Amino acid sequence: MALPQLPSAIPTAQHQPARRSHILSMPEISIKIKQANETALSITIDTDETVLALKQKINTAANVEPSQQRLIFAGKVLKDEDKLSVYKMADGNTVHMVKGSAPRATSSASTPAAPSSAAPTNLFEAAAAASGGGAGANPFAAFGGGGAAANPFAALGGMGGMGGMGGMGGMGGMGGMGGMDPNMLNSLMSNPAIGASIAQMMSNPQIIEQLAASNPQLAGMMNQPQVREMLGSDGFRQMLADPNMMRSMMAMQAAMMGGAGGAGAGNPMAAMFGGLAPGSTAPTAAREGAAASPNAAAANPMAAMFGGLAPGSTAPAGGMFNPAMMQQMLGMMGGAPGAPAAPADTRPPEERFATQLGQLVEMGFFDASENVRALTLTGGNVEAAVEWLFAHPPGGGR
Amino acid sequence: MAKVPRNFRLLEELEKGEKGIGDGTISYGLADGDDLMMSNWNGTIIGPGHTVHENRIYSLKITCGNDYPDRAPTVSFLSKVNLPAVNQKTGKVERLACLDSWKRSYTIETVLAELRREMANPSNKKLSQPAEGTFF
C-alpha cells in the first residue's frame, strides 16, 4: 500500500510535553513497545503525558515518525491527544505498534494555493483605499476602517476589512463570516511591515492609554492589572506579531468550527479584530463572535478573551471574560513566548473537514476534491466554501 | 478439577491482555477499567500479512455475560469487515466455530485468534473490504 506522508508540519506539538517532567507529580512507568517481528522497546514515561508524547519517544528510540505509528493497548487504538492515564496504563504493560498506513490523502487536497492570493502587493495602500479616507491625526488609521481615526486599534479592524477584500477574490466575504479569509489573513500576517507596526503599536504604552481612553468599557478593563499586564506583555505582542501564531489560531478556529458544526458565529479572529476596532468594518462579526454559543466560546479561551475585549459586544462575552482565565492565558504566553496556543491540526483536510464535507455533499456538491479544496481555502467554513464552489465551477476558469 | 470462578478467570485474562500476547497481532482489555463486573471488553485484531487485511486494525467489542466462561461471550466488530462469520448489518460475529461450540477453557484470546485465522483463511483473504476506518 502506498503510504503518503502526512504533512510534516508539526512544529507546535513538539514543544509542549517536555516541560512537564519538572513538576514530578505523576508516577513514571516503564512500558514495552512491541512491534511485529522486532524486539520489544522499553520506554519510561510519565502517565500524565499524552499518547503523542509517547509516539515522539518511540520516534527517538526506533526512528518511526509519529504519524506512521499506530499504538494499541488492551484492545484499544490509542488516540494522540489522550493522556496515557486515560488508558490506565501501568508499569510493565505492553503497547503494540503497527507501522504505516496513514490515512490516505488525495493529491489535489494538498494544494492550499489561494486563488484569491492576487493580494495587493502593497497592503497599506490597499487598506487605505478600503478605508475610504478618514485618516486623522493617528497614523495607524491609515489602514483602519473609515471613521475610526481616533482609535489606533482600527489598524486591526482594518485587517478584518482586508480579509473582506480577499473575500471578493472568491472566498465569499459574507457578513457572517466577518470577511475572515484565512489565507488572506495569513499572507497579511506574514507581511513583516504589518507585523512590525503591530509590535510597535502594542509596545507603545501611550497607544494603549489612548485606546483605553477612547472606550469606556475598555477603560474599565484596563483598570484590571492583569489585562494591562497582558496587553503590555511580550507574549501578547509577540502573539499579534507572529504569523505562526496567527496561523495556529486559524487552525484552532478551523478545528473549533468543525466542533461547532461549522457555525460561522464562532470565529475567534473575527471577534478579536472586530472587537478591538469599534466602528471598523467588522462590527457584525464582532458581535457574532462574541455571541457565539457558550460551548464554542468555552472551548476556546481566545474567543472568550477577545470577545471580552470587544467593546461592541454584549453580555455573553463580557460574562465569560474572567481574570483567572486571562491569567492562565498570560501564564501560557509568558511561559512559552511565541509558542502557539494550540497544536496545529496535522490531519489531512478530508479528515479535518469530515463534517463540512458531509454537509457539502448534502448540498449537492459531489466533487470531493473540489470540496476539500474549497474547505481548505476557507478554513472549514462551509458557507464560504459554497461561495467559492459557485465562483469556481469545476472546469471553469480558475 | 476445580472450576475457576468467573471473576478470577476474567482477572487472569485482563492481566494477560495488558501484558500483551505474543506479537501483538491481537490485543484486548477492559472497555472501562472501573467496571468491577468486567463485562465489557475492547479487542483489536491486526490484519494478517499478505491478505486484504494487512496493516488494518480492527476494533471489536466483547461482552462477557454473568455466566461466562460457561457461556460464550458475545463478540461484535466495531470496524467494518467483510467476513462470512460476521453479520454485515450489525458487525456481530455469528458463525465462528469456537463460539458455536464453546468450551469453558476458551478465552477472549481464543476468539480473537480464531477470527484472525478466519481473515487469513484462503477463502476469505481476498474478500473485498470496506474502506478502513468505517464502522458498523
Side-chain angles (χ1 to χ4, degrees):
Chain A
M1 199 191 306
L3 305 174
Q5 291 278 338
L6 278 176
S8 59
I10 327 175
T12 56
Q14 293 185 344
H15 302 298
Q16 295 195 335
R19 299 190 299 146
R20 215 179 276 130
S21 52
H22 303 299
I23 298 172
L24 242 185
S25 58
M26 295 302 247
E28 293 230 315
I29 55 166
S30 174
I31 51 175
K32 287 199 216 58
I33 310 293
K34 268 197 191 168
Q35 208 187 330
N37 309 324
E38 285 183 41
T39 46
L41 215 70
S42 203
I43 297 228
T44 306
I45 192 164
D46 197 305
T47 50
D48 203 26
E49 295 279 19
T50 60
V51 171
L52 189 62
L54 173 62
K55 287 188 173 178
Q56 274 152 7
K57 284 202 170 195
I58 295 174
N59 185 21
T60 320
N63 201 19
V64 183
E65 283 289 317
S67 60
Q68 295 281 305
Q69 299 175 19
R70 290 188 297 172
L71 302 181
I72 299 175
F73 172 69
K76 285 183 204 130
V77 180
L78 307 189
K79 295 199 189 87
D80 279 1
E81 64 274 16
D82 284 344
K83 286 185 181 176
L84 300 182
S85 50
V86 169
Y87 299 99
K88 307 218 156 52
M89 220 174 267
D91 206 46
N93 286 169
T94 300
V95 172
H96 297 291
M97 173 162 79
V98 185
K99 258 198 265 187
S101 141
R104 285 159 293 123
T106 55
S107 54
S108 65
S110 54
T111 50
S116 61
S117 65
T121 42
N122 187 330
L123 291 165
F124 285 83
E125 228 170 69
S131 73
N138 191 319
F140 291 107
F143 57 109
N151 190 327
F153 278 84
L156 293 169
M159 294 190 176
M162 292 296 293
M165 287 179 57
M168 292 196 299
M171 302 304 288
M174 299 168 306
M177 199 187 153
M180 296 306 289
D181 172 343
N183 287 311
M184 193 65 194
L185 188 72
N186 278 351
S187 66
L188 194 75
M189 293 318 289
S190 318
N191 185 321
I194 296 213
S197 69
I198 292 181
Q200 189 192 351
M201 197 168 77
M202 298 305 290
S203 60
N204 185 342
Q206 280 183 345
I207 289 182
I208 304 285
E209 295 291 345
Q210 195 184 342
L211 171 78
S214 71
N215 184 305
Q217 191 179 341
L218 272 179
M221 273 173 48
M222 284 304 196
N223 290 333
Q224 298 186 13
Q226 300 102 318
V227 176
R228 189 175 284 266
E229 197 182 335
M230 187 194 82
L231 286 173
S233 85
D234 276 334
F236 185 71
R237 225 176 297 141
Q238 201 162 353
M239 186 182 84
L240 281 175
D242 181 356
N244 286 326
M245 186 69 192
M246 286 300 171
R247 233 165 269 141
S248 82
M249 280 175 69
M250 298 308 290
M252 193 160 73
Q253 173 208 347
M256 199 179 79
M257 305 255 288
N267 186 331
M269 301 301 282
M272 170 176 163
F273 288 116
L276 285 172
S280 82
T281 48
T284 29
R287 226 163 295 127
E288 276 196 51
S293 71
N295 187 356
N300 187 334
M302 291 288 195
M305 179 170 114
F306 291 115
L309 282 172
S313 79
T314 40
M320 267 176 266
F321 175 77
N322 144 2
M325 190 167 70
M326 199 65 118
Q327 214 153 20
Q328 196 185 341
M329 288 290 305
L330 182 64
M332 194 174 81
M333 291 190 288
D345 197 338
T346 56
R347 290 173 297 164
E350 289 91 336
E351 211 178 304
R352 196 161 12 121
F353 301 131
T355 333
Q356 291 97 320
L357 280 171
Q359 289 172 358
L360 284 179
V361 171
E362 276 168 27
M363 289 181 212
F365 296 96
F366 295 114
D367 188 332
S369 62
E370 284 295 299
N371 290 354
V372 168
R373 193 179 154 93
L375 285 170
T376 312
L377 291 169
T378 55
N381 184 321
V382 174
E383 288 177 45
V386 169
E387 291 264 315
W388 187 87
L389 285 166
F390 276 131
H392 299 79
R398 198 183 314 144
Chain B
M1 196 176 79
K3 280 171 93 180
V4 184
R6 174 185 186 276
N7 289 7
F8 285 91
R9 213 345 238 289
L10 286 172
L11 270 180
E12 275 173 32
E13 294 199 37
L14 178 62
E15 201 176 327
K16 192 169 179 193
E18 284 177 349
K19 282 217 182 94
I21 311 147
D23 54 1
T25 51
I26 58 176
S27 164
Y28 58 83
L30 276 181
D32 171 11
D34 301 327
D35 174 12
L36 291 177
M37 287 312 290
M38 296 180 282
S39 301
N40 298 312
W41 296 67
N42 289 120
T44 50
I45 300 177
I46 298 171
H50 313 293
T51 73
V52 286
H53 309 282
E54 183 161 15
N55 261 331
R56 287 181 176 223
I57 299 179
Y58 294 101
S59 300
L60 299 93
K61 189 180 73 180
I62 300 126
T63 309
C64 299
N66 285 333
D67 42 8
Y68 181 89
D70 292 316
R71 291 273 173 81
T74 50
V75 181
S76 299
F77 273 84
L78 298 174
S79 321
K80 277 204 167 170
V81 66
N82 178 12
L83 278 178
V86 178
N87 182 320
Q88 288 305 303
K89 287 207 185 73
T90 62
K92 193 162 183 284
V93 180
E94 290 179 338
R95 272 179 294 156
L96 195 69
C98 70
L99 289 179
D100 292 342
S101 49
W102 180 257
K103 287 197 177 65
R104 204 171 197 282
S105 56
Y106 290 170
T107 60
I108 296 172
E109 182 185 348
T110 318
V111 181
L112 295 178
E114 180 156 341
L115 279 170
R116 188 163 187 271
R117 275 198 300 277
E118 280 292 301
M119 293 177 185
N121 184 318
S123 62
N124 295 338
K125 72 177 188 186
K126 295 237 164 66
L127 288 176
S128 70
Q129 295 297 326
E132 191 175 13
T134 51
F135 296 93
F136 281 110

